[in-house]
Amino acid sequence: MRRNLEVLISSLEKDPVKLASHMNLECDAVIINQGSKEHSYEYGMSNGLTLRVFETKERGVGRSRNRAIDAADSKIVLFADDDIVYTKGYAEKVLNAFKEDPKADIIMFNFNVNAKRRTYFTEQETSVSRWTLGRYPAFAAAARLSSITNAKVRFSTLFGGGAKYSNGEDSLFFMECIKAGLKIKAVPVTIGIEEPRKSTWFNGYNEKFFKDRGVLFSFLYGKTAVLWAFRFAVAKRKLYMNSMKPSEAFKLMKQGIEEGNLIKKDNPNGR
């Protein structure tokens, strides 16, 4: 019988059983653990949950999320990283949210995170559009598995931890979902916390950061990418003024946009 809910966990060199316990899982899980070997197995937890573990030498959060989607066997999937700890009752909250809105394909939930990393906190139910999707990390999202598989959407393997370019695989995924006609909304329901840890991709507001941001804007915004780069350079200048001038940041992002435009000719979805 098909599961109602699975957590799809992307992890890096973790003990899957200890990780599942630490995360306070209340439902079955698919764990893609990036490590030093290729191996897969099932593990039955003492609380009756089943972990399906895929050890892999591959690197890249996009690859691991795609592999988890392919392995999933549930009505609803909840994306997760290995620094997420769920609060008691999260599984029921997620399932109830989808029951309350049968037309929702993806629902964003709140997490308590470090104030410096917080990009959103939903206080009243709202629709997520192509203009607001950049606020949400992948771990905020739960989805109807049938919706994303029928739409044939997948995460980019060019962006994110372990990939050539920095973060952005989550935004690109949500953009693909919206283009495919999927309904995404955010609800004022908190289901866990993100534990503080060193970023796997952010090494400061340096040349790579801004070039990578330009490549991402090329994929996300197409012909309006330069306007978004200018907006970012101005709006975020207080964050990086100690590293470089806004004009320099804007120039680097434009270089990234040009690079992204070339990549899109052969790989329009960034996969």
Side-chain angles (χ1 to χ4, degrees):
M1 189 169 119
R2 200 172 192 189
R3 300 167 173 86
N4 287 322
L5 175 66
E6 280 181 313
V7 180
L8 307 186
I9 304 169
S10 176
S11 65
L12 178 63
E13 298 179 336
K14 297 288 186 181
D15 180 316
V17 177
K18 290 181 180 178
L19 176 63
S21 179
H22 181 72
M23 292 178 68
N24 295 331
L25 294 188
E26 296 177 348
C27 61
D28 294 341
V30 174
I31 302 177
I32 310 299
N33 190 41
Q34 300 168 83
S36 59
K37 56 186 176 181
E38 294 285 341
H39 180 54
S40 63
Y41 60 91
E42 281 194 11
Y43 183 87
M45 300 283 285
S46 59
N47 58 3
L49 302 182
T50 298
L51 307 180
R52 290 189 290 139
V53 181
F54 298 84
E55 303 277 359
T56 179
K57 295 179 182 178
E58 285 187 338
R59 290 294 186 270
V61 66
R63 284 188 173 87
S64 64
R65 293 204 197 284
N66 289 340
R67 189 166 178 180
I69 291 172
D70 291 339
D73 182 29
S74 58
K75 296 177 182 177
I76 307 296
V77 294
L78 178 61
F79 296 106
D81 295 324
D82 58 17
D83 57 353
I84 296 300
V85 176
Y86 292 106
T87 52
K88 186 176 181 180
Y90 78 88
E92 184 177 3
K93 290 179 180 179
V94 170
L95 291 173
N96 283 341
F98 281 95
K99 287 179 182 177
E100 291 171 3
D101 188 351
K103 294 183 179 180
D105 297 298
I106 298 175
I107 299 178
M108 305 292 192
F109 294 88
N110 286 335
F111 283 79
N112 292 315
V113 304
N114 184 290
K116 291 183 178 180
R117 284 179 52 80
R118 174 172 288 177
T119 56
Y120 80 101
F121 193 82
T122 305
E123 295 183 341
Q124 60 181 18
E125 184 174 311
T126 183
S127 296
V128 176
S129 71
R130 63 180 59 206
W131 313 118
T132 60
L133 58 80
R135 303 172 185 172
Y136 302 95
F139 66 75
R144 295 187 194 276
L145 182 60
S146 60
S147 295
I148 57 177
T149 53
N150 290 341
K152 298 181 180 179
V153 291
R154 288 294 185 271
F155 284 88
S156 169
T157 58
L158 285 178
F159 297 85
K164 182 176 181 179
Y165 300 107
S166 306
N167 74 322
E169 79 290 344
D170 39 13
S171 297
L172 286 170
F173 177 76
F174 298 140
M175 181 66 84
E176 273 205 51
C177 290
I178 288 175
K179 287 180 178 179
L182 302 189
K183 176 184 176 181
I184 308 178
K185 73 174 189 178
V187 296
V189 178
T190 302
I191 62 172
I193 66 171
E194 179 193 36
E195 294 186 317
R197 70 171 179 182
K198 183 178 179 180
S199 174
T200 58
W201 65 268
F202 181 71
N203 294 305
Y205 295 99
N206 51 26
E207 181 176 315
K208 176 174 172 54
F209 174 88
F210 288 105
K211 280 189 176 180
D212 287 2
R213 183 64 44 147
V215 177
L216 176 63
F217 284 169
S218 171
F219 277 90
L220 282 176
Y221 305 120
K223 294 180 180 179
T224 63
V226 173
L227 295 177
W228 282 85
F230 179 78
R231 177 181 179 275
F232 188 91
V234 174
K236 304 294 184 180
R237 64 188 183 279
K238 290 183 180 180
L239 296 176
Y240 65 83
M241 283 289 283
N242 292 333
S243 302
M244 66 177 67
K245 298 177 182 178
S247 59
E248 295 172 326
F250 182 52
K251 181 179 179 181
L252 289 168
M253 284 188 282
K254 286 199 295 182
Q255 292 175 9
I257 291 170
E258 292 175 2
E259 184 173 338
N261 290 340
L262 291 174
I263 296 171
K264 286 194 298 182
K265 291 181 180 180
D266 297 320
N267 187 356
N269 293 319
R271 295 184 187 177

